[in-house]
Amino acid sequence: MPDEDLQKELIRDLIIESVEGLDRYDQELLEFENDHDAERMNVIFRVIHTIKGTAGCLGLGRIEKVAHVGENLLSLLRDDKLKVHEGMISVLLSLSDALKEMLDTLENTESEGDKDYGELIAKLDALQNEDAEPQAETPETDDSQSFGLFEDEEEADEVSASADEEGTAFGFFDDEEEPQTEDTPESVQIEEAPVNQSEPTPTKAETPKAKKPTKPNCSGSSNVADSSIRVDVNHLDRMMNMVGELVLARNQIIVNSTNYDENALIKASQRLNLITTELQESVMKTRMQPIGNVWSKFPRIVRDVSSEIGKKVNLIMEGKETDLDRTIIEAIKDPLTHIIRNSIDHGIETPEKRIQEGKPEEGMLSLRAYHEGGQVIIEIMDDGAGIDIERVKSKAIEKNLITSSQGSNMTEREAMNLIFSPGFSTAAKVSNVSGRGVGMDVVKTNIEKIGGSIDLQTQIGQGTTLNIKIPLTLAIIPALIVNSSGERYAIPQVSLLELVRLEGPQAKSEIEDLYGSPVYRLRGKLLPIVFLDQQLKTRLEDTNDGFSDEDIVMNIIVLQADGRPFGLVVDQINDTEEIVVKPLGKQLKGISCFAGSTIMGDGKLALILDVLGLAQHSGVITDSDNRALLDDDKSESDIESRKQSMLLFNIGEDRRMALPLSLAARLEEFSEDQIENTGSQQVVQYRGQILPLIRVADHIQGINTSNEYEGKTPNTLQVIVYTENDRSIGLVVDNIRDIVDEEIVIQRESSTAGIKGCAVIQNKVSELLDAPEIIKSADPGFYASAC
Amino acid sequence: MNEQKQYCTFYLGNLFFGVDVLKVQEVILFQDMTHVPLSSPSVSGLINLRGETVTAIDLRQRLELPSVELPEPPKNVIISAEGGTVSLLVDEIGDVIEPSEELLEAPPENLSGIAKDLITGVYKLNNNLMLVLDTERTVEFDAAIS
């Protein structure tokens, strides 16, 4: 590699490493402010030290100089020679700002820029010399704008000389850390976008004449550090393997297109299918990033904003590890930052006011992220003043967003949504932080752009909660394709619980009418039913004409919206498919029943149903349901706990028997010729063991087996394998019928040996088999030898 | 010298419309559409434009013109608007013309209804009038019917 390229490469590495490092630096510094953990200070020190070292190697004297001064101060802190205080943290934070600024300039102009950081250096120096006495200093990041003299090589040399004097490590092969090699064994840097380096710029990064405007050359957000992610090397290897397989599958198909062989084609398509799926998952995994990556910047923002406007805020973050698609993470960064600033500025009150109102002096701002139903929910909650709805209304009227008559007719929720309209701000005065009237509308548009939604709840004096729901990934989701009134619709698999099909004459009557609302009894519970064609107003007038009752088939899709199940009746259920989600046009956003559209295999479009929207539209879930829902859940869990899974089978001709499923280890079928005899017992070889068989019928009184077995010797035996203490025994029954979940109440004790009693299962009387009793009578040694 | 604006023109019945040619992405023949339930009559459906979903707006409905049986299926004028790509369904496509600025006049005062909002000007051409349609406003509406 030519030297020039090498230099560029190294500088780019430096930028990536340093920006990452400085983010960490900010975080650790803020934590250090609270817990004074010496280990943190080591990390902090190391970041700056690394930057200084690497910058020095690459001849970036100005960065090195600033880092060096910072390092000096940090080394004193590390060695406990100085006590940290708030003012010092602020200065150290502005050190990281200054370094970031220089790195930014370096990236955009390939020179370090010529901004004078003298003031910062002086401050850092002053702090070194001060004694432990705390001194409040305002954080001031804005350094003087004067274009200082160019720092030239001489000065850099001077710095390195002084660095040597200090005895601090400096140079290429610093043993303490070497940024490039630190992570290489398990991770590698992937560049998403090639960094713009094509400009013919002076090669020497230090050339003072390379004075270019410091603004980014292309889109502002995509700088080097943001456009790279860390990926596990093993993962990358696996992906490469899969791509190899993909190529092979493609080759097979290409060969097939010239000499057609149906079997080979089917095989190749299956392989292709498999590989695509795996590859898709794999790539998705690569793109998934914990939301903590964005959040890590928030403590700093909270600190800066709150100290700027004199408020005290405690930031709580939960669910940092929640994974999200990278593009989504990028997209929510700015909206979240804005919301946080807003919460501090508008929401949380000044300490004096909080004390007056009997709240703790320090305001609470909590961020919570979690997965729910294929979505990620981010909750931003503050315990501030809340939002005065009347004030929102009057403000909106004042700004001509609504008329006063509109205002008085608005529901609370509608009024709340005014906050998201363009040109709205309730801040009494415009501050540096917020209140310029642009903001929440942009937040809303940005979130909606990625298919998310934002919802606001507030209570005056108690605080405000913002709920942001965003999809896990924008691109591809599994969905069930259904037909209704001749159109296809896709239902996201995440909200699907089960499918129920009602056939024949009873189909119609099984949907019962409850004051005009159709319901279906699903395993004894009422399930509200929604007819899709009715909801979408696509029902053809003559739906039932020409159908006799026998022809009727009801397809009920049991869906879950907001934790509440409901049944959706459609005309036809097709297959499940992975669909590529395409957003709907702006005009159609208002239709809550649809979440988007997708293009089917035949090139036609199908709409994706928004299950929650559909449920709300049809009135299956409303706010007032919530209470009932809670009660419901409780009673359900009560029943659940008494429910048992029962295995139903027949003995003899018509004796219905039941056995708790938990007692059956496995259900097996053996053919008659597998049975061998050992003495008086019948056994089969089963999983390398000898499994004794007991014919249950022989051990229960009142079952006359003889002529039945003689009459039709079944070719296969159905066997329930019963296992206890690592010993197994096979119970031979005549016909295993079903497994049911039911609450079992023994109605009548039985005097028959081997039968515990009778219970009503599936509306029929069944006898509960006492398996241990039967085993004891048939094979007395089974329990004895186990003990 | 100010640049003269070019207009992509089309007909709805006897009315002659023009939209800024820079807003028009392409003009295509009638496509199969997927009906969107619960949407206002202004939305004809969705079309698949090379893998992208595009909302087709029935311009007659949007401009509150009566629907008529057309001898030929409507054409799609694909507009790239701020909120995304949208298709306007029109009766017939005209030429791209470059009328002189001097012929432009504000819409007459007695223009009423939705046309007042959507028509920004009138070019007095030799043989007819060309109505300038504001594409952004035309495609900006909420298609949900409550």
Side-chain angles (χ1 to χ4, degrees), chain A residues 165-372:
Chain A
E165 275 167 29
E166 293 281 333
T168 34
F170 161 69
F172 262 107
F173 304 107
D174 189 341
D175 54 346
E176 214 175 319
E177 69 288 301
E178 181 62 46
Q180 274 91 335
T181 55
E182 199 171 82
D183 286 306
T184 27
E186 62 280 336
S187 71
V188 74
Q189 295 275 337
I190 292 196
E191 295 303 325
E192 274 211 343
V195 183
N196 188 356
Q197 289 196 330
S198 53
E199 293 173 78
T201 43
T203 52
K204 270 193 85 186
E206 278 247 63
T207 315
K209 269 153 203 132
K211 250 211 283 180
K212 285 192 196 160
T214 51
K215 64 176 181 199
N217 30 16
C218 40
S219 62
S221 61
S222 63
N223 49 32
V224 198
D226 279 349
S227 60
S228 67
I229 52 169
R230 285 181 183 280
V231 181
D232 190 321
V233 168
N234 292 329
H235 188 73
L236 203 61
D237 288 345
R238 270 201 301 279
M239 255 158 70
M240 192 58 223
N241 275 341
M242 278 181 242
V243 172
E245 278 186 59
L246 186 70
V247 171
L248 292 180
R250 179 200 61 184
N251 292 350
Q252 279 174 2
I253 287 173
I254 287 175
V255 166
N256 216 280
S257 62
T258 47
N259 51 32
Y260 179 72
D261 171 4
E262 196 181 322
N263 277 336
L265 182 65
I266 291 173
K267 256 194 209 156
S269 328
Q270 280 169 348
R271 272 181 66 78
L272 188 66
N273 181 19
L274 213 78
I275 299 162
T276 315
T277 314
E278 272 180 39
L279 199 60
Q280 181 190 330
E281 270 171 22
S282 208
V283 173
M284 274 305 302
K285 211 170 133 198
T286 321
R287 294 173 56 91
M288 288 300 211
Q289 302 259 290
I291 198 166
N293 289 6
V294 191
W295 284 8
S296 60
K297 297 194 169 63
F298 291 162
R300 173 77 198 272
I301 291 168
V302 169
R303 186 186 190 276
D304 286 359
V305 173
S306 55
S307 67
E308 193 176 323
I309 54 178
K311 291 181 182 178
K312 289 195 173 162
V313 182
N314 178 23
L315 179 69
I316 301 163
M317 300 197 285
E318 270 177 67
K320 275 186 202 175
E321 63 293 329
T322 313
D323 275 338
L324 262 177
D325 193 285
R326 231 189 72 77
T327 45
I328 297 179
I329 291 215
E330 283 296 305
I332 58 166
K333 199 189 280 168
D334 291 343
L336 279 182
T337 313
H338 192 91
I339 291 170
I340 285 179
R341 285 167 156 271
N342 253 348
S343 290
I344 301 170
D345 196 27
H346 299 282
I348 290 169
E349 312 92 326
T350 53
E352 302 82 54
K353 192 153 179 240
R354 288 183 67 89
I355 291 168
Q356 253 176 42
E357 291 184 1
K359 293 186 193 175
E361 187 187 12
E362 197 178 49
M364 190 269 297
L365 180 66
S366 102
L367 282 174
R368 219 155 74 85
Y370 54 95
H371 287 281
E372 192 185 271

Side-chain angles (χ1 to χ4, degrees), chain A residues 428-674:
Chain A
K429 60 173 193 282
V430 171
S431 72
N432 198 15
V433 181
S434 54
R436 287 193 212 86
V438 282
M440 290 312 271
D441 61 314
V442 180
V443 168
K444 192 177 182 191
T445 4
N446 279 348
I447 287 170
E448 283 180 351
K449 228 184 250 169
I450 53 167
S453 65
I454 183 164
D455 191 46
L456 192 144
Q457 286 143 22
T458 185
Q459 211 169 353
I460 293 183
Q462 304 289 311
T464 309
T465 306
L466 271 160
N467 259 309
I468 302 175
K469 288 188 183 178
I470 35 182
L472 206 53
T473 159
L474 302 172
I476 304 163
I477 56 166
L480 181 74
I481 312 295
V482 301
N483 269 37
S484 175
S485 310
E487 293 274 6
R488 277 175 300 186
Y489 298 95
I491 301 173
Q493 198 95 44
V494 285
S495 32
L496 197 76
L497 292 179
E498 62 181 302
L499 303 175
V500 178
R501 183 180 163 95
L502 307 179
E503 273 176 307
Q506 82 277 17
K508 223 174 170 185
S509 59
E510 280 192 50
I511 306 259
E512 289 162 275
D513 194 77
L514 202 106
Y515 270 97
S517 321
V519 291
Y520 170 71
R521 295 189 206 192
L522 180 70
R523 289 187 293 274
K525 285 193 71 191
L526 290 186
L527 182 76
I529 292 291
V530 174
F531 290 89
L532 185 59
D533 49 1
Q534 208 174 4
Q535 287 309 318
L536 300 182
K537 301 197 174 71
T538 53
R539 176 173 277 190
L540 307 168
E541 290 308 319
D542 52 351
T543 334
N544 283 335
D545 284 5
F547 279 106
S548 69
D549 274 358
E550 269 90 272
D551 286 344
I552 288 183
V553 172
M554 286 269 195
N555 286 307
I556 305 176
I557 302 168
V558 185
L559 299 169
Q560 178 166 302
D562 241 7
R564 201 168 165 76
F566 70 99
L568 184 71
V569 177
V570 298
D571 295 348
Q572 200 187 328
I573 293 172
N574 302 343
D575 215 348
T576 55
E577 254 178 56
E578 295 226 296
I579 57 167
V580 178
V581 181
K582 305 272 177 189
L584 286 176
K586 207 164 79 178
Q587 300 79 14
L588 301 171
K589 278 275 156 66
I591 306 176
S592 58
C593 290
F594 304 121
S597 63
T598 185
I599 294 166
M600 308 296 294
D602 60 2
K604 293 225 181 86
L605 286 163
L607 286 159
I608 302 168
L609 293 180
D610 182 328
V611 174
L612 187 63
L614 187 68
Q616 274 162 350
H617 182 259
S618 58
V620 178
I621 50 167
T622 54
D623 286 344
S624 57
D625 268 351
N626 287 342
R627 245 191 92 84
L629 174 69
L630 286 175
D631 296 345
D632 225 86
D633 267 359
K634 207 172 152 197
S635 59
E636 192 186 350
S637 62
D638 271 6
I639 293 174
E640 285 294 333
S641 62
R642 274 179 280 150
K643 267 188 191 170
Q644 254 184 313
S645 289
M646 300 299 284
L647 180 70
L648 301 183
F649 51 92
N650 279 16
I651 303 278
E653 200 169 341
D654 204 22
R655 295 280 289 265
R656 298 166 63 91
M657 298 268 178
L659 184 74
L661 188 63
S662 52
L663 294 180
R666 289 183 73 87
L667 303 179
E668 295 288 346
E669 276 191 350
F670 299 109
S671 67
E672 286 279 357
D673 48 26
Q674 278 179 277

Side-chain angles (χ1 to χ4, degrees), chain A residues 649-651 670 672 675 682 692-698 709 714 716-721 729-736 769:
Chain A
F649 51 92
N650 279 16
I651 303 278
F670 299 109
E672 286 279 357
I675 298 178
Q682 290 187 314
L693 295 179
I694 301 175
R695 288 189 190 262
V696 176
D698 298 342
Y709 279 125
T716 55
L717 289 179
Q718 299 207 318
V719 174
I720 301 168
V721 181
I729 197 160
L731 302 174
V732 181
V733 299
D734 289 305
N735 185 13
I736 295 175
L769 194 72

